[in-house]
Amino acid sequence: MTPVSSTAPHGQSPLRTVQVLGGANAGSSAHVRSLAEGLVARGVRVTVCAPVEAERAYGFTGAGAEHVHVPRSSDPVSVAALRTACAHADLVHAHGLHASFRAVLALSGRATPLVVTWHGRTRAKGPRARLLRVLERRVVRTAAVVLGASSDLVDQARRDGARDARLAAVALPGRRRPGHLADPDDHDLLRPKTRAELGATGRPLLIAVGSLDRQRGYDVLLDAARAWRDLDPVPLVVVAGEGPLRPVLQRRIEDEELPVRLIGRRDDVSELLAAADLALLTSSLESRSVLAQEALHARVPLVATRVGGIPDLVGDAAALVPYGDPDALAGTVVRLLADPGWCARLRERGVRQAATWPTEDETVAQVLSVYDELTQPRPLA
């Protein structure tokens, strides 16, 4: 990221911002780390309010920001801690629903501008879903600007009454940090070792990454895997992630003798993708999927569900299937494995599509322009 001079005009104090995180979403945490680094390089003072676990994982202080521990819960103690941290801020920027709602409570009665970034939709059913929708509308109508990571999120914010909703430039941050994709030139070195460790020598390897919960569509993935048992050689599906559905999924894998392995949470996603023949994204709801971006960057053909922001994100660089249709998923995978030419075309399209995505510099520049719109000249320090 290219450092530039302070954004503060001569004789004025630096812009003071507070970034608020819930701490549960890896994508938004990585985004805030990248954003903090870029803002600090431009002379902005950044405080990140997030659980201490997020600081350990993402190193906000290493990016030049101050970190203040604020627990994820919305109890009065957490809100009071956030209110104190925001006392001298020129602007507060919250990421995700839980963090944004806490920011709304903490800024109650203050004129401090609030920017909100939606990185994805909240997922719930029944009474909890209705409660979250109420909270979403309150946040959206309170925020000065809502930034959505995909066009569907921007459209929803406008329907919910946002005063100003815009498409956010959200880069795929930290491509050289652990857990993110390796340089494609390293594929040949990484591939044999990783495939051997996963038990995929001499057979196709399909990689899925994400928490083992209902919205990921892994029940559909297991349904599709039944069809792949008839192939020779039989593809191996490897799912990296952890979550509440692990016992249910593992029981199905064993009872139905499916060619699927659950390998738990991993910090070597780059190596997994480097070894893969295909990447699979089977979710019921996605906005700006990190896996989709990493797969295209790594030149790995992607099969993804046609949901949320995925079509806009990948364009014609992935094979899209309807959500909840195991036959469509199974058939598309079979055809891709049998068609090297189609795979090659997806790889080339992926490179071109990835080149259209915003860089970290462009992401910081857009956010900073929003900040400048919302803040007034500041007095001498």
Side-chain angles (χ1 to χ4, degrees):
M1 197 171 285
T2 305
V4 297
S5 59
S6 170
T7 58
H10 179 70
Q12 293 185 3
S13 61
L15 180 69
R16 298 164 297 184
T17 71
V18 172
Q19 306 288 322
V20 186
L21 268 173
N25 183 283
S28 58
S29 297
H31 172 67
V32 168
R33 205 284 183 186
S34 171
L35 197 58
E37 185 174 13
L39 291 172
V40 169
R42 288 158 172 79
V44 178
R45 291 177 57 182
V46 178
T47 298
V48 177
C49 293
V52 68
E53 296 81 12
E55 163 61 19
R56 292 195 193 106
Y58 293 93
F60 305 116
T61 52
E66 177 187 358
H67 171 251
V68 174
H69 171 61
V70 176
R72 189 169 185 266
S73 67
S74 293
D75 63 39
V77 173
S78 296
V79 173
L82 183 57
R83 186 173 177 84
T84 299
C86 295
H88 302 293
D90 297 302
L91 180 142
V92 174
H93 189 167
H95 302 261
L97 177 58
H98 295 287
S100 299
F101 183 64
R102 284 201 303 279
V104 167
L105 297 178
L107 294 177
S108 178
R110 293 179 178 173
T112 310
L114 173 64
V115 176
V116 167
T117 294
W118 287 155
H119 294 270
R121 295 294 307 278
T122 55
R123 301 173 173 104
K125 294 183 177 180
R128 176 170 171 76
R130 291 191 288 273
L131 171 62
L132 293 178
R133 289 292 294 128
V134 170
L135 300 186
E136 279 183 353
R137 286 191 288 268
R138 178 170 177 187
V139 167
V140 160
R141 293 169 184 175
T142 302
V145 174
V146 177
L147 299 173
S150 59
S151 57
D152 61 309
L153 296 175
V154 176
D155 293 342
Q156 184 62 55
R158 289 170 178 161
R159 288 194 295 270
D160 286 343
R163 289 177 279 172
D164 187 342
R166 313 178 193 181
L167 185 63
V170 180
L172 176 62
R175 294 183 59 199
R176 294 288 185 177
R177 295 182 193 137
H180 289 269
L181 67 165
D183 192 302
D185 292 338
D186 295 335
H187 280 197
D188 289 342
L189 297 175
L190 294 166
R191 187 179 178 90
K193 178 176 181 292
T194 306
R195 289 175 72 91
E197 291 173 351
L198 294 174
T201 301
R203 63 194 296 197
L205 177 62
L206 317 180
I207 295 291
V209 180
S211 55
L212 305 183
D213 45 39
R214 199 160 302 280
Q215 66 269 14
R216 296 291 180 178
Y218 291 137
D219 55 338
V220 179
L221 177 58
L222 296 192
D223 290 341
R226 284 200 295 262
W228 303 329
R229 293 181 302 189
D230 298 330
L231 299 181
D232 184 19
V234 178
L236 174 65
V237 181
V238 171
V239 181
E242 200 54 81
L245 289 186
R246 185 185 182 100
V248 175
L249 297 173
Q250 187 62 51
R251 191 176 308 116
R252 275 198 63 187
I253 292 167
E254 295 171 0
D255 290 348
E256 301 174 34
E257 297 182 344
L258 299 175
V260 180
R261 284 190 61 194
L262 307 180
I263 60 173
R265 186 177 290 107
R266 299 286 289 251
D267 61 1
D268 59 347
V269 172
S270 60
E271 285 83 358
L272 296 178
L273 281 172
D277 295 287
L278 300 177
L280 305 178
L281 181 63
T282 56
S283 303
S284 61
L285 192 62
E286 286 284 352
S287 294
R288 196 170 184 89
S289 164
V290 173
L291 174 63
Q293 294 175 80
E294 291 188 338
L296 267 60
H297 270 299
R299 301 199 294 256
V300 178
L302 172 69
V303 181
T305 44
R306 190 183 290 105
V307 297
I310 293 299
D312 287 343
L313 179 67
V314 302
D316 65 353
L320 299 182
V321 298
Y323 169 72
D325 189 337
D327 292 335
L329 175 61
T332 300
V333 167
V334 169
R335 289 192 296 275
L336 266 173
L337 291 176
D339 191 342
W342 188 10
C343 290
R345 289 192 297 275
L346 288 181
R347 291 189 187 97
E348 292 307 310
R349 292 172 187 171
V351 172
R352 292 197 298 269
Q353 183 70 11
T356 70
W357 295 336
T359 65
E360 290 185 272
D361 276 337
E362 290 166 342
T363 299
V364 174
Q366 185 208 32
V367 166
L368 198 51
S369 71
V370 172
Y371 293 177
D372 286 342
E373 288 179 33
L374 297 175
T375 54
Q376 299 298 318
R378 294 168 295 285
L380 292 173

